[in-house]
Amino acid sequence: MKTSDYLKKYGVRLKKHLGQVFLSDDRIAKRIVKAADLTPEDVVVEIGAGAGTLTEELAKTGARVIAYEIDESLAPILRERLSKYPNVELRFEDFLKAKDVPEGAICVSNIPYSITGLLMEKIIEWKFKRAIVMVQKEVGERILAKPGKKTYGYLSVVVQTFYEVKKLFDVSRSCFVPNPEVDSTVVDLKRKPVDLDFEKFKKFVSMIFAKKRKTLKNNLKPFLSIFEGVDLSRRAEQLTVEEIVELYEKWRRALECSRG
Ligand SMILES: C[S@@+](CC[C@H](N)C(=O)[O-])C[C@H]1O[C@@H](n2cnc3c(N)ncnc32)[C@H](O)[C@@H]1O
């Protein structure tokens, strides 16, 4: 049965505010799952199972699949489609409030676009070893952007500090029901062995990008004594992720020393 048939059968009305545009083309789901290269030993987390098109393809790999879905009205569809797969666990809860996500899992999701930023931060916090996520095309460009590009900013730096990023492929809006107003991109994120205090790091990155066209000197005004001898004449958007982490470490160590 097709996704649209399931929606009709259960009389489900889609909720725009939850980003409910569902994959209607299961070839895309198959392509995503193929790229994930899963084995039965893997633990996969899906954020936003929707009508289960991607979930079912994930289930077929034999991996343990934990699928989060905030909207319980989709439960009858998901149960009908997935009850034959004992390796799938459905969790009807808000992923942003999730309490027990297994560490070292792989996230494979077509995420709700309105909360992409928050979800990317959660992906970092839960230390997924890999994340293959479909995002709005323009957001994908920001995630993948290199220094000097217009799209390089807070999101690029935060994600690229923790993950090697790679574009997999674009997905046309025609592959969804209903057709969204935007195209999509699937990105592949591979965890780097980085250990940083994420809360503090986010604060620092927000600060240096606060006024994007201004120099570091301008954005770091309250902390200039920490950076004596450092060239602050560039803008944050010109710095590599490694250079930003180096500045952050200087800032963090100085603040820790000053607190004694
Ligand atoms: C873009 S749809 C993807 C659905 C399905 N995976 C697919 O590819 O067809 C996003 C799904 O995420 C769900 N969702 C939205 N916010 C959520 C949250 N905070 N936690 C869990 N699921 C959420 C929506 O209800 C929706 O079903």
Side-chain angles (χ1 to χ4, degrees):
M1 213 193 298
K2 288 196 300 202
T3 302
S4 49
D5 297 330
Y6 279 111
L7 296 172
K8 237 180 261 160
K9 176 172 174 188
Y10 290 99
V12 170
R13 292 175 72 94
L14 296 181
K15 301 183 180 77
K16 211 174 167 186
H17 73 280
L18 291 177
Q20 290 184 348
V21 286
F22 295 161
L23 265 176
S24 54
D25 186 340
D26 60 6
R27 285 172 305 179
I28 303 293
K30 285 187 198 320
R31 215 172 148 193
I32 293 172
V33 173
K34 189 162 181 252
D37 196 21
L38 300 167
T39 71
E41 280 70 50
D42 287 319
V43 179
V44 178
V45 171
E46 185 189 6
I47 306 167
T53 311
L54 181 56
T55 327
E56 188 162 11
E57 292 305 322
L58 290 169
K60 289 178 191 167
T61 66
R64 178 182 169 211
V65 179
I66 303 172
Y68 284 84
E69 175 50 61
I70 200 170
D71 182 2
E72 281 221 57
S73 75
L74 296 165
I77 300 181
L78 288 169
R79 291 202 176 109
E80 175 176 337
R81 224 166 166 179
L82 301 163
S83 56
K84 58 177 177 288
Y85 299 101
N87 51 325
V88 176
E89 182 190 336
L90 295 170
R91 294 186 180 173
F92 290 99
E93 54 183 274
D94 180 349
F95 183 76
L96 293 174
K97 296 185 185 145
K99 295 263 178 310
D100 57 347
V101 180
E103 205 173 297
I106 300 170
C107 176
V108 182
S109 309
N110 169 17
I111 58 177
Y113 294 171
S114 59
I115 52 170
T116 302
L118 292 173
L119 287 175
M120 292 313 299
E121 290 184 359
K122 285 288 166 195
I123 286 171
I124 295 169
E125 283 169 25
W126 284 113
K127 301 189 165 73
F128 285 105
K129 69 174 177 194
R130 210 173 150 205
I132 294 170
V133 284
M134 173 137 63
V135 294
Q136 184 179 329
K137 197 171 173 193
E138 291 71 18
V139 177
E141 281 162 9
R142 282 164 49 207
I143 289 172
L144 297 160
K146 294 290 166 212
K149 293 271 175 212
K150 235 166 93 185
T151 41
Y152 183 72
Y154 174 86
L155 187 64
S156 335
V157 170
V158 162
V159 175
Q160 291 177 31
T161 296
F162 293 90
Y163 288 94
E164 304 284 353
V165 297
K166 190 169 88 180
K167 175 173 167 169
L168 291 182
F169 52 90
D170 291 330
V171 182
S172 153
R173 63 192 76 183
S174 64
C175 300
F176 301 87
V177 277
N179 289 163
E181 281 150 23
V182 292
D183 293 316
S184 301
T185 296
V186 182
V187 294
D188 186 349
L189 316 179
K190 198 166 147 244
R191 189 85 184 182
K192 294 182 187 171
V194 171
D195 193 18
L196 288 180
D197 179 328
F198 188 41
E199 283 310 308
K200 274 193 198 143
F201 184 64
K202 277 193 297 186
K203 204 170 151 193
F204 183 75
V205 180
S206 315
M207 195 160 66
I208 60 171
F209 279 102
K211 293 181 206 130
K212 226 181 155 205
R213 303 299 303 162
K214 300 274 183 188
T215 61
L216 291 166
K217 188 171 177 189
N218 199 291
N219 282 325
L220 288 170
K221 236 176 218 156
F223 303 106
L224 291 183
S225 59
I226 295 175
F227 297 103
E228 237 166 75
V230 178
D231 175 14
L232 298 180
S233 64
R234 290 187 292 168
R235 297 190 295 271
E237 62 186 11
Q238 298 169 294
L239 269 61
T240 64
V241 164
E242 292 73 24
E243 286 174 314
I244 291 174
V245 170
E246 208 175 298
L247 283 182
Y248 158 74
E249 285 296 357
K250 217 175 176 42
W251 174 79
R252 180 190 61 80
R253 279 196 301 268
L255 290 193
E256 275 172 16
C257 285
S258 71
R259 283 192 199 111

